[in-house]
Amino acid sequence: RLNRSDEAHAAFQAAISHAEGILTVTSEYYAARYTLALAQAGLALYSGELAAAEAAYRTARQNCDAAGVLAEARRRLEALCGAEGGDRLRSLLALLE
């Protein structure tokens, strides 16, 4: 959300809440796990703290490491890396190789 950081932050928070809600019902739902990880990475754009995103990506990968799933997660994270300050997220890409 270009030049609308407050809205983007709220959207990342909402995505985290939604993914966590799904995971309380279906804990092995890989799409929710990767959504949670991407949203945590989005919040790291603001905080600079990558630990939650790293942990979420590790958990997601343990849940499902199929090549196509990893490729899609990498594409989404690469798009987020294109945001202002996104260079600090590049280390997360290694978790998806």
Side-chain angles (χ1 to χ4, degrees):
R1 299 201 179 196
L2 188 59
N3 297 320
R4 296 174 17 206
S5 60
D6 289 343
E7 290 177 40
H9 189 272
F12 289 130
Q13 288 283 23
I16 288 169
S17 294
H18 186 69
E20 287 175 339
I22 291 170
L23 291 168
T24 61
V25 178
T26 310
S27 64
E28 299 300 313
Y29 187 42
Y30 73 88
R33 293 222 174 265
Y34 280 100
T35 297
L36 176 62
L38 184 65
Q40 290 286 4
L43 288 182
L45 285 172
Y46 302 98
S47 69
E49 177 54 50
L50 295 176
E54 289 171 351
Y57 274 116
R58 283 190 182 97
T59 300
R61 184 155 185 172
Q62 288 173 344
N63 185 202
C64 180
D65 66 351
V69 171
L70 290 172
E72 180 62 24
R74 186 172 178 84
R75 278 192 293 274
R76 291 178 181 189
L77 182 56
E78 285 173 341
L80 191 57
C81 287
E84 184 178 336
D87 284 344
R88 72 181 69 149
L89 303 178
R90 294 223 172 260
S91 65
L92 297 172
L93 291 168
L95 298 172
L96 299 172
E97 293 178 350

